[in-house]
Amino acid sequence: MDQEPGEGQQAEPPPDQTRQWQAPSGFDPAEPGPAPYPPPQYGQPQYPPPQYGPPQYQPPGPPPGYGPPPGYGPPPGYGPTVGAAGAWSAPFVDKPGVIPLRPLAVGEILDGVFTTIRQNPKTLLGLSFVIVLVGQLGVLGLNLWAHGAGSGQRLGATLGGLGITQLVSAITTGVAVIVIGEAVLGTRISPADTLTRLEGRIWRLVGLGLLAGLLILLGFVLLIIPGIYTLVLFSFATPVFVLEKTTVTAALRRSGELVRGSWWRTLGIGFLGYLVGTILAGLIEIPFTLFALHSSGVFNTTASADVSTGGQLLLAAGRIVGGTISTPIIAGTFALMYIDRRMRREGLDLVLAQTARERQGRS
């Protein structure tokens, strides 16, 4: 009678699990021979190890039939470009001159101004010195004419001095616009060639400066805010007149069109450039002003309200030196702002890049 295995006893496995392996016929265990099955290999794996280098995938190139129009490279400064082999390359930025040909940051505008002055000192500073010298001699003559005169004569001298300053600013800005326009393309221009560019247009440039000055003055007379608005609105009038070769009224209208939509940016960067130029000019004029006040006896108890003739000469010398430095800085700031605005709005960077390539190809 079968008994169930109790505790401590093990049940016998089924017969098929106790079957012993039978050696094949002709097999002698005393003689070495090949095993019926090869033993498992526990060493290094027989398959090649995986490669952990850079991925072998290459991004596809642009589809056929697409690409930039003939004669134009890829838009500069707007992310990576795909080369001929389909590999990604670094961003392409055209910088043939003092600025990269793409929308500019504030620091790039100021850096472009000082780079242009450093590369073109003879043209920018030399012409600026001559123009400011002539203007300040006129202002000095008016101040000496009104020295010791009545209030009406002094008011006339003051208004005449403002008009002369506006003329000097307009002509110097025109010169700076031509020099910076060439510096953006990586070329330099001589003082004679600069004046040749303005030949036949200087008086219209002066008229543009006077008309813009009168409109701005009218805005300030009415209210301060309309004056500031008009000042910013016409800030690109001189660059438009010089570079686009338009008429006076068309330059004013075109300046307003460019400023719209970027009024606050134009105000902020323009004020920054004006502040930098004014501070540098003020630092230069400080010694001249102190000597002028000392020569007039201002530091004495018996000082008079009028500045002496010697003091007037010293003040004029200080304004000449300071204006030679500050005027190109301020004018250059507005010139580069004009170029930056057109690159943002009209794609001028592509035209400038193509022009620079053509010039370099001819050189």
Side-chain angles (χ1 to χ4, degrees):
M1 186 173 182
D2 295 335
Q3 295 181 357
E4 295 182 0
E7 186 176 353
Q9 296 180 348
Q10 295 183 355
E12 293 184 1
D16 57 346
Q17 295 186 12
T18 60
R19 184 179 303 167
Q20 299 296 324
W21 176 76
Q22 301 295 328
S25 59
F27 175 77
D28 187 0
E31 296 181 2
Y37 299 99
Q41 301 294 329
Y42 296 101
Q44 296 295 330
Q46 301 302 315
Y47 53 86
Q51 302 295 327
Y52 294 101
Q56 303 301 318
Y57 169 75
Q58 295 292 340
Y66 289 87
Y72 291 88
Y78 293 98
T81 57
V82 180
W88 293 93
S89 59
F92 175 77
V93 178
D94 259 325
K95 189 179 179 181
V98 295
I99 58 170
L101 298 184
R102 55 169 172 75
L104 303 175
V106 178
E108 291 173 328
I109 292 177
L110 296 179
D111 180 72
V113 172
F114 284 100
T115 303
T116 304
I117 295 175
R118 187 171 61 251
Q119 293 180 356
N120 302 270
K122 184 178 179 181
T123 303
L124 261 181
L125 298 181
L127 290 179
S128 176
F129 172 76
V130 173
I131 297 170
V132 173
L133 174 63
V134 174
Q136 288 301 321
L137 288 178
V139 174
L140 176 63
L142 290 175
N143 290 335
L144 293 177
W145 170 70
H147 183 70
S151 57
Q153 196 169 347
R154 292 191 180 192
L155 178 61
T158 301
L159 294 177
L162 291 176
I164 292 176
T165 303
Q166 182 67 23
L167 295 180
V168 169
S169 176
I171 298 175
T172 310
T173 302
V175 169
V177 166
I178 293 176
V179 176
I180 286 182
E182 293 295 324
V184 167
L185 297 174
T187 56
R188 301 181 183 182
I189 186 170
S190 65
D193 291 338
T194 303
L195 294 178
T196 302
R197 294 273 190 93
L198 290 175
E199 188 177 0
R201 297 174 60 85
I202 292 182
W203 290 114
R204 281 182 287 176
L205 181 62
V206 170
L208 173 64
L210 288 177
L211 180 59
L214 288 176
L215 293 175
I216 293 169
L217 180 62
L218 180 61
F220 277 105
V221 168
L222 296 176
L223 282 175
I224 299 297
I225 294 179
I228 297 176
Y229 178 80
T230 308
L231 175 64
V232 177
L233 200 66
F234 295 151
S235 57
F236 295 156
T238 301
V240 169
F241 179 80
V242 173
L243 295 180
E244 300 184 19
K245 294 181 173 56
T246 63
T247 62
V248 171
T249 56
L252 293 174
R253 184 169 58 252
R254 168 78 165 151
S255 175
E257 294 174 356
L258 290 173
V259 170
R260 288 189 183 94
S262 185
W263 191 91
W264 287 105
R265 175 181 169 84
T266 306
L267 173 64
I269 301 178
F271 177 74
L272 180 60
Y274 178 81
L275 188 64
V276 171
T278 303
I279 290 176
L280 291 178
L283 293 176
I284 295 173
E285 294 177 18
I286 284 177
F288 295 92
T289 304
L290 292 177
F291 280 114
L293 295 177
H294 178 72
S295 65
S296 301
V298 173
F299 298 114
N300 300 329
T301 55
T302 59
S304 61
D306 291 328
V307 180
S308 64
T309 302
Q312 293 281 2
L313 292 174
L314 287 172
L315 290 176
R319 288 193 294 265
I320 291 171
V321 178
T324 301
I325 302 297
S326 64
T327 307
I329 295 176
I330 299 172
T333 301
F334 283 99
L336 285 183
M337 287 169 58
Y338 159 78
I339 295 175
D340 171 66
R341 182 58 180 160
R342 288 197 61 189
M343 287 193 296
R344 292 173 180 270
R345 180 175 175 176
E346 301 173 353
L348 183 64
D349 47 352
L350 298 177
V351 179
L352 293 176
Q354 180 68 15
T355 304
R357 291 191 186 100
E358 293 175 354
R359 290 190 177 187
Q360 292 173 1
R362 291 196 300 265
S363 61

